[in-house]
């Protein structure tokens, strides 16, 4: 149960930023094995080569995601990357020993494709919500919301990744808060956008 929550939290974080949970998992296994220890089949995620590549990609993602219009293009490009990352972090963490899970369930170890698919679906759902809300927020604020919302997402991805490893039970609360925040942001953006569209519509008539 706890390993599933750990995987779900990391996968959801991947839906916001593909590289943050990958980097957290890799660094945790490499530097803090008492916090998270990957099984042998997933140990490549904590190799310095992989960590270095993920870190570089993270820098590119962080910069691109804060530029209006570019962030929407980036979301399109990330449509495959984020679910893939979600599958990787769910698959690896669900069979890993963590500070909260000392004996991962045998089910995940013997059915490794299950957590990968589940993680990809979770990440895709979060990504879809992000890709839907962001253009509306940009349109409602003339792009001013892009760096703010992106920074909040990055911080949220870091926090969710750490919570998933250290206190997986809190993942449920975090996911509910994430869903509520996405709903509120989308609703607010739509409300701000409508008044700006009405004068143009009236003028056309």
């Amino acid at each position: 149960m706890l390993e599933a929550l750990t995987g779900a939290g990391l996968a959801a974080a991947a839906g916001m930023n593909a590289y943050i949970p990958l980097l957290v998992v890799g660094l945790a296994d490499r530097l803090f094995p008492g916090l998270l220890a990957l099984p042998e089949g997933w140990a490549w995620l904590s190799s310095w080569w992989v960590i270095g590549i993920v870190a570089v990609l993270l820098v590119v993602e962080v910069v691109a995601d804060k530029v209006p219009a570019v962030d929407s293009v980036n979301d399109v490009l990330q449509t495959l990357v984020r679910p893939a990352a979600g599958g990787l972090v769910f698959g690896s963490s669900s069979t890993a020993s963590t500070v909260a899970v000392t004996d991962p369930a045998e089910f995940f170890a013997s059915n490794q494709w299950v957590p990968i698919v589940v993680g990809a679906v979770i990440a895709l759902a979060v990504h879809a919500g992000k890709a839907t809300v962001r253009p509306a927020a940009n349109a409602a604020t003339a792009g001013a919301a892009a760096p703010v919302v992106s920074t909040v997402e990055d911080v949220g991805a870091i926090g969710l990744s750490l919570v998933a490893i250290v206190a997986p039970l809190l993942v449920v609360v975090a996911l509910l808060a994430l869903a509520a925040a996405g709903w509120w942001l989308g609703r607010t953006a739509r409300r701000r956008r409508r008044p700006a569209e009405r004068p143009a519509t009236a003028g056309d008539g």
Side-chain angles (χ1 to χ4, degrees):
M1 174 62 179
L2 290 180
E3 54 267 42
L5 290 175
T6 296
L10 289 167
M16 291 186 283
N17 187 306
Y19 309 111
I20 286 176
L22 283 172
L23 195 59
V24 168
V25 168
L27 288 175
D29 181 64
R30 169 63 67 172
L31 302 177
F32 307 100
L35 191 64
L36 181 145
L38 292 171
E40 185 176 349
W42 292 100
W44 58 273
L45 284 174
S46 62
S47 71
W48 285 119
W49 280 104
V50 172
I51 290 173
I53 292 172
V54 171
V56 171
L57 292 174
L58 174 59
V59 172
V60 175
E61 162 84 357
V62 167
V63 173
D65 200 47
K66 290 172 177 57
V67 180
V70 175
D71 61 342
S72 295
V73 175
N74 181 60
D75 280 338
V76 173
L77 297 177
Q78 294 291 323
T79 300
L80 294 178
V81 178
R82 288 172 185 157
L88 288 176
V89 292
F90 198 123
S92 60
S93 64
S94 63
T95 54
S97 297
T98 69
V99 66
V101 181
T102 57
D103 186 21
E106 184 64 27
F107 173 78
F108 287 123
S110 58
N111 298 274
Q112 293 186 4
W113 62 271
V114 174
I116 293 175
V117 172
V118 172
V121 171
I122 292 174
L124 180 60
V126 175
H127 164 73
K130 170 180 175 174
T132 301
V133 170
R134 183 65 73 83
N138 286 344
T141 62
V148 177
V149 175
S150 178
T151 300
V152 171
E153 290 170 350
D154 292 342
V155 173
I158 294 172
L160 187 54
S161 297
L162 295 176
V163 165
I165 294 173
V166 177
L169 285 175
L170 294 180
V171 167
V172 176
V173 177
L175 292 180
L176 290 175
L178 178 64
W183 174 82
W184 177 83
L185 184 60
R187 183 183 180 188
T188 302
R190 285 192 296 271
R191 282 183 173 180
R192 290 185 177 181
R193 191 176 180 180
R194 285 171 188 164
E197 292 176 344
R198 285 172 185 167
T201 303
D204 292 340

